[in-house]
Amino acid sequence: MQSTSDTQLLEISLGPQHPSTHGVFRMNAVLDGETIVKLKPVMGYLHRNHEQIGEHTSYIGSFPFTDRLDYFCAMSNNLGLALAIEKLGNIPVAERGEYLRIIMVELTRVLNHTAVTGFLLNDMGAFGTPLLYAFREREKILDLFEAASGSRMMCNYIRPGGVRIDVPEGWLQQARALVAGYPQFLDEFERLLTKNEIIRQRTQQVGILPKALAVNASITGPLLRATGVNYDVRKVDGYSIYPRFSYKVPLGSVGDVYDRYYVRILEMRESLKILQQALRDIPAGPAVSPKGQAMVKAPRTFRPPKGEVYSRIEAPKGELGFFLTSDGTPQPYRYHIRAPSFINLTVLEDMCLGYKVADAIIILGSIDIVLGEVDR
């Protein structure tokens, strides 16, 4: 291939085992010197037939598989499927279970944004400190997940009608202590990062995603809001009990790597506000009490009426949707997932054109993908 300046173009392949790709993912790039003139994302290395398996197992049997989508955010994945099943079968949700769900998924949002910030700085060359600080805090949230569900990452916890089991004694007090202390960590994190001159030079005006392109490409989550588009499924749909809580939707203005970083920092602070309210207002009582139960009893063999539903949530990476079609049998006739990591990857080339190879690494990191969700 020849460039307009009659210099030879270089084709390189980053991945599928490159450390910056966060999994088995490849970027085939064409370079003019170090400038990217073409880039093609190559995925599919981790495909494992999630949707086909979902059409040959029971509705409840798919919950452990949702854990393996975005394996950083298992609780959110559980909630997305639970809401779709409840909508399909008109299943009520226990009041205490509603609050426990919100607590779990907002803790998941904080966990995800903390980890991706550490990964982004690691991709930028800041080895060690930011990532280790992030993982130190992530471990505290994983300890809570383990105490509640028995697992740190593959939680399999949320169910239609509520949650699988109530949290153990003392769990809510531990969660309140973690939420109360988390702003201090964020303040410390921001002192290291937000006004850091090197970080600003590496991230500002890099990987800009135009607002119109983001909307036309169906981009969602922090990637969309960093462009200035005020769109959050929690606000738009008001699902679960989110309308009961007071919180803001942080927005960027430029849509560059820096905005995507800072929007996630602000989203963590808003999630902590939701958590404070939920932990304050959660109904008292053990799971077996009539007024404080965590789960409405649902039939063990679930046979919803014929029909189809699409249910979505504001997952940490964007809109996570589940489409279910019922033919009246215990297994879905059609089971499909709208994965935000996959959709958000479609604008990777547009964000990288004209930038250097080193910029492409942090642009990919700022999208925040997990290959389990991209490939399914």
Side-chain angles (χ1 to χ4, degrees), residues 15-33:
Q17 276 81 37
H18 195 278
S20 71
T21 59
H22 303 286
V24 279
F25 171 71
R26 172 180 287 174
M27 294 187 291
N28 288 336
V30 178
L31 308 179
D32 185 356

Side-chain angles (χ1 to χ4, degrees), residues 62-340:
S62 289
F63 277 92
F65 293 103
T66 65
D67 288 341
R68 275 80 177 172
L69 288 169
D70 178 358
Y71 37 78
F72 271 79
C73 304
M75 291 287 192
S76 296
N77 306 338
N78 291 171
L79 179 62
L81 179 58
L83 290 175
I85 293 174
E86 289 160 3
K87 189 175 180 180
L88 187 64
N90 196 27
I91 299 174
V93 183
E95 184 76 358
R96 182 173 173 86
E98 288 274 31
Y99 277 89
L100 287 175
R101 288 173 165 193
I102 296 301
I103 291 168
M104 296 302 180
V105 298
E106 290 305 320
L107 283 172
T108 299
R109 197 180 315 278
V110 173
L111 176 153
N112 179 85
H113 289 357
T114 300
V116 74
T117 302
F119 283 132
L120 178 61
L121 271 294
N122 195 63
D123 290 341
M124 211 176 297
F127 297 106
T129 302
L131 183 60
L132 292 177
Y133 278 24
F135 268 57
R136 179 192 65 192
E137 302 305 313
R138 174 176 176 259
E139 287 298 306
K140 297 175 184 178
I141 298 177
L142 293 181
D143 287 344
L144 288 176
F145 286 173
E146 183 179 22
S149 70
S151 177
R152 299 173 69 78
M153 292 183 68
M154 307 295 116
C155 299
N156 188 21
Y157 182 65
I158 295 174
R159 287 288 186 277
V163 296
R164 178 164 50 84
I165 190 172
D166 201 0
V167 292
E169 185 177 354
W171 191 94
L172 292 174
Q173 288 76 10
Q174 295 175 25
R176 292 187 184 105
L178 183 146
V179 169
Y182 219 88
Q184 182 179 354
F185 159 70
L186 290 180
D187 293 342
E188 180 184 27
F189 221 31
E190 282 210 67
R191 283 196 298 271
L192 285 172
L193 306 177
T194 300
K195 295 184 179 180
N196 186 293
E197 182 179 351
I198 297 174
I199 291 174
R200 289 196 170 194
Q201 289 180 347
R202 285 297 311 278
T203 60
Q204 289 182 333
Q205 300 298 316
V206 173
I208 296 175
L209 175 62
K211 183 184 298 187
L213 175 60
V215 173
N216 291 335
S218 300
I219 304 304
T220 55
L223 191 59
L224 174 67
R225 291 188 287 274
T227 69
V229 178
N230 190 352
Y231 188 85
D232 187 309
V233 179
R234 294 173 296 177
K235 291 283 190 180
V236 174
D237 287 1
Y239 62 90
S240 188
I241 56 173
Y242 275 109
R244 301 182 188 180
F245 305 119
S246 174
Y247 61 99
K248 298 177 182 178
V249 178
L251 302 176
S253 57
V254 180
D256 55 12
V257 172
Y258 185 84
D259 272 0
R260 292 192 278 278
Y261 149 75
Y262 196 53
V263 161
R264 290 186 175 100
I265 294 291
L266 296 178
E267 284 192 5
M268 283 191 276
R269 295 191 183 277
E270 295 302 317
S271 289
L272 292 173
K273 293 179 183 177
I274 296 174
L275 285 164
Q276 289 171 350
Q277 296 170 71
L279 289 165
R280 178 195 66 202
D281 299 337
I282 184 171
V288 295
S289 70
K291 294 183 179 180
Q293 63 182 358
M295 182 171 176
V296 171
K297 288 187 177 180
R300 187 174 294 273
T301 303
F302 178 57
R303 294 175 181 265
K306 292 183 179 181
E308 62 181 35
V309 297
Y310 176 74
S311 182
R312 59 183 185 166
I313 66 167
E314 184 63 42
K317 293 172 174 61
E319 180 183 326
L320 173 64
F322 286 84
F323 174 78
L324 300 176
T325 300
S326 169
D327 58 0
T329 66
Q331 297 86 30
Y333 175 78
R334 184 71 178 98
Y335 176 102
H336 177 66
I337 300 165
R338 189 233 186 252

Side-chain angles (χ1 to χ4, degrees), residues 32-48:
D32 185 356
E34 288 192 23
T35 302
I36 296 171
V37 296
K38 185 177 179 181
L39 186 142
K40 178 183 177 182
V42 182
M43 57 200 79
Y45 297 96
L46 205 59
H47 180 61
R48 57 204 184 283

